[in-house]
Amino acid sequence: MSYQVTVEPTGDLVEVEEGQTLLDAALRQGVWLPFACGHGTCGTCKVQVLEGDVDVGAASPFALMDMEREEGVVLACCALPESDLVIEADIDVDPDFAGYQIEDYQAKVVSIEELSPTIKGIRLALDRPMQFQAGQYVNLNLPGVEGSRAFSIANSPANASYVDLHVRLVPEGKGTGWIHQTMKVGDELEVSGPYGQFFVRKTDDKDVIFIAGGSGLSSPLSMISDLLEMGDERQIYLFQGARNLAELYKKSELEALAEQHSNFHYLPALNDALASDDWQGFCGFVHEAASDHFKGRLSGHKAYLCGPPPMIDAAITMLMQGRVFEADIHMEKFLTAADGATADSKSALFKRI
């Protein structure tokens, strides 16, 4: 059985199979709805149900409040139609967004690399090339793990036959636990993608600031590689934050990239360096490193933030104090299930992202 969903104000029609979410059906049919996490924790994909019946699914109570539920608001990434629907969505697709069709792939694990004590680098060879924009992510179905898990793509879109993923071990996380403790080379997995609307606005000629924390380096690494491969001449700054030197992964590779490209600047920061690290670089949090480098004056830049929620919130505050405003700040929060259950979906400073 399937249901027909009419999307207002565009009038697009989406066929949704029984048990399929609104968002999954729409994206697979080339109808783009606003979304970010895809797992019911961020609240970006809220839509208004105008007609019909729908099960709100596993939406976090923090991302979808009781009052909103009573008013017919649902999260498209969780909502399951129970009849034909008419919904209203706030559709505002950026002209730089390619909107590649989401498809299913078979993948084989071809390499596993220890990037840091808590982060592994996984390369998955795909059964056919995947078109994606730098900054997007894929969903993995893992053996014995209920639901899918989202991981950002770390390689450039020029290498479409595989995806590189940076996976941080989440305490008591079933998905990341399986990847760190059980996954082996040769394992085969189901992958779907590309997802997400975190990408570089290439038509904007402002210089670019990337701020990354932990495994949040993955998306900026893909985006920076893509820009440099395309010969982009803007000044590109990467601020990478980690606790100590062992956690500051890809450092040598990024330093080499900065040597090769005069417009790329790599600025790492450690907030809890060990005495044995003999660290001569910036000491403090990554958002503080960015503020210090620009002496608090950051206007005239586009900023892309990727990492855990506390880092994102601190970076937003710093950027806005430095006169970078909402239209020039784009972010990807790395939310876990625990984050979704205990934190607000967005910074109080922001309404749009």
Side-chain angles (χ1 to χ4, degrees), residues 243-263:
R243 174 175 292 181
N244 53 52
L245 191 59
E247 292 290 349
L248 192 71
Y249 72 98
K250 295 286 183 179
K251 177 175 178 288
S252 297
E253 178 180 320
L254 290 164
E255 288 174 337
L257 204 60
E259 286 288 331
Q260 297 166 17
H261 300 273
S262 60
N263 63 323

Side-chain angles (χ1 to χ4, degrees), residues 207-258:
D207 291 338
V208 185
I209 296 171
F210 292 95
I211 300 178
S215 60
L217 178 64
S218 51
S219 290
L221 186 60
S222 176
M223 298 158 98
I224 290 166
S225 298
D226 184 44
L227 286 172
L228 295 178
E229 288 168 2
M230 298 297 291
D232 197 289
E233 296 182 351
R234 285 174 289 183
Q235 297 300 305
I236 302 168
Y237 301 86
L238 170 62
F239 295 89
Q240 181 190 8
R243 174 175 292 181
N244 53 52
L245 191 59
E247 292 290 349
L248 192 71
Y249 72 98
K250 295 286 183 179
K251 177 175 178 288
S252 297
E253 178 180 320
L254 290 164
E255 288 174 337
L257 204 60

